[in-house]
Amino acid sequence: MYSNLASQTKSNKAKWRLGAILPLGAALSGAAFAVEPVTGVTDDQEVVMDDVKVKAAREKQANRFKADSSSTGSKTEMALRDIPQSVSVVKEELIESQNAFNLRDALRNVSGLTIAAGEGGRTGDSITLRGFAANSDQYLDGVKDNGQYNRDTFFIEKAEVLKGASSILFGRGATGGVINQVAKKPTGKTGVNGSFTYGMYDFKRTAIDAETAYQDLAARLNVMYQDTDSYRDYNSSSRWGIAPSFALKLTPDTDLSLNLLHQQEEGVFDYGVPMWRGTPADVPINTFYGFTDNRMMDSDVNVATVALTHRFNQDFSVKNSIRYGDYERKYLTHLFSGAAAYTGANAGTIARSQALRLSTQENVYNQTDFVFKKPLFGFNNTLMFGSEFGWEEYDFKSKNSTGVTRVSVFDPIITGSVGRGLASDFSGTLATDRLTHAQTYAGYVLDQFEINPEWKLLGGTRYDVFDAQQEDRLGVANFESSVDQWSPRGGIVWQPSKSQSYYFSYGKSFNPSAESLSLAANNAELPPEQNHNYEIGAKLDFFDGRLSATGALFRLEKTNARTTSPLDPNLQELSGEQRTDGFELGLAGEILPKWDVSLTYAYLDAKITKSTTSATGSVSGLLKSYEGMTAVNVPEHSGVAWTTYRLTDNWEIGGGVFYASDRYADSVNEAVLPGYARLDAMLAYHQKHFDVQMNVFNLADTVYYESGQTNSALPGTPLSGQLTVSFKY
């Protein structure tokens, strides 16, 4: 199925490998029943006991979709009601209810977040948050995890999204917010859970989650394997991963943890169908425009994290985390290199391009966080301060294939690439060959001060030094860039009762030229872009905390965006502006004891308010300015409604709607992705030691496009289903 190019994907540098599954034992738990001793009975008397009836009912899980706290809004676990900023938490129960096996599917439950097709050949998870790209703003347990790969949910217990400018906590980027995965860790229990899923398009997946403990050492192992074809012709993927984790109590006040992740995937680079006169071409969604061979997209990810936590006393603690990340991708792109031709000799066709690309990235980060909880002037006070040091290396090569012909938009003839100048290795002339180094040095201080039980203040700042150096092996562009930046944050929280919390906050972030570990000749010497987030919101609890409602009104501004100089099109300057005004609503928890809901909605007005950059419209053929245009891949209205109801202790039914209005796929607003509403459903049967669950996706078989670019659109999944059988002991 895959070309022998895949055998060339591994670099020569040494990488840690996990050779075998760790010997975590699975123990079966029995039921023990204790009876009070009978008094006043001699040894030779007969005792008649009352009948004891045992009912193995399914344990009820309270607040399956509602979270009460988050570690992403500050440097310690904090109640959501105390964080003066919008935070969305997608819990494991919601992920399992929807069979959301990819992180991007889980994140569909987050208001103001949209999934984008990778721009500029970017693959892996590509996300837009409140109108701004969040590609470099992905974290794992609070430490940067910005490699490009498709993140799986097999080893995470929840995904947290902090919205708005947040450089005080995370450094560069963090414009629209950050996405933080929280990995599953040892709990000290002994048990094993497993599942097998089979679905349409020959979807097969199995996962195991096992843990055990012995004295002061606890261990947990998550393993996953997935293999599937696709509703897209000539598409398939195969993925496997292993994530062992260990927790060791060195002393009563000192804990050491080790978390590892290895994930590999083989797939196909596919951006979908062409755009035709500004909308996706009216062709079957399975139509493929690439080549029948050489459809390679391989990734290899290794992440290791060591964390040491020490409590000096009940008020003062420190946590030091060290992260090593290694990310490798090798793939053959297939892109439409221009708009479709509407007239002339090439009418009804579109140009294609192909390139062989290899990127390797290594990260090393060290974070030290102190938390000091001590009353100040008689008032409750939590002081957080610490430092971060990071080193990143990004190596990128690209070689273009030659002789790639045009293809018919409505009747493509798909052939192999033999004789078409396939780029099969990196010998000869390369289009790109760059090595980028980046270093981060930062310190921060953040304080939460409680004036009284009703009023709380949060404020602090962070100072970053971000240096980057680029070595262009083609001799085109060797650059160095150095940025130092203060990033303040402030907020006030009013809590007139335990069920009400109202807040106002301000935060700042910055985007240096080398934010995504690549530099360009026309912007390498520019200062960073600046971003400001203003937000007012409310967080309310109902039914003794079983149901929570949230709302936020915000403005997010980029005040000096990079834009093309009107005097020299080869230079850029900081004279652009972009703004997103919006509000979002959320509801999560139990409406009734057996009725769980997760509802989100976002309204976003994302505009390029000032720009000197122009581009030729794919429909009009006219040169148009970005100024006044709506930001790419930002629907004005979007939301998700998901609900489940337990008919009995054993039977559960649920479903929901995923909705997005029209959105633009290009910067001059001529390419449009139509709005859609996708209806899903689930039915589950639960027992004490096993579950059976059926998920049906896109019940109405709606044709929709989940992401796109100027010249292409990626169709969403058609009507399909999956059956999952899981066990737990």
Side-chain angles (χ1 to χ4, degrees), residues 174-234:
T175 305
V178 299
I179 299 99
N180 181 41
Q181 300 175 88
V182 179
K184 296 177 181 177
K185 300 177 182 64
T187 63
K189 300 177 182 179
T190 296
V192 59
N193 297 333
S195 65
F196 176 77
T197 302
Y198 185 80
M200 294 179 65
Y201 308 107
D202 200 26
F203 181 94
K204 302 177 290 293
R205 178 185 174 95
T206 186
I208 295 176
D209 179 2
E211 61 176 320
T212 189
Y214 177 72
Q215 294 184 352
D216 294 328
L217 176 65
R220 189 168 186 173
L221 177 67
N222 283 273
V223 181
M224 169 276 302
Y225 175 77
Q226 178 176 302
D227 183 81
T228 180
D229 289 334
S230 173
Y231 58 92
R232 297 276 298 152
D233 289 347
Y234 303 104

Side-chain angles (χ1 to χ4, degrees), residues 98-109:
Q98 297 175 350
N99 265 20
F101 298 133
N102 300 307
L103 178 64
R104 61 179 176 270
D105 292 330
L107 293 178
R108 297 182 195 281
N109 296 283

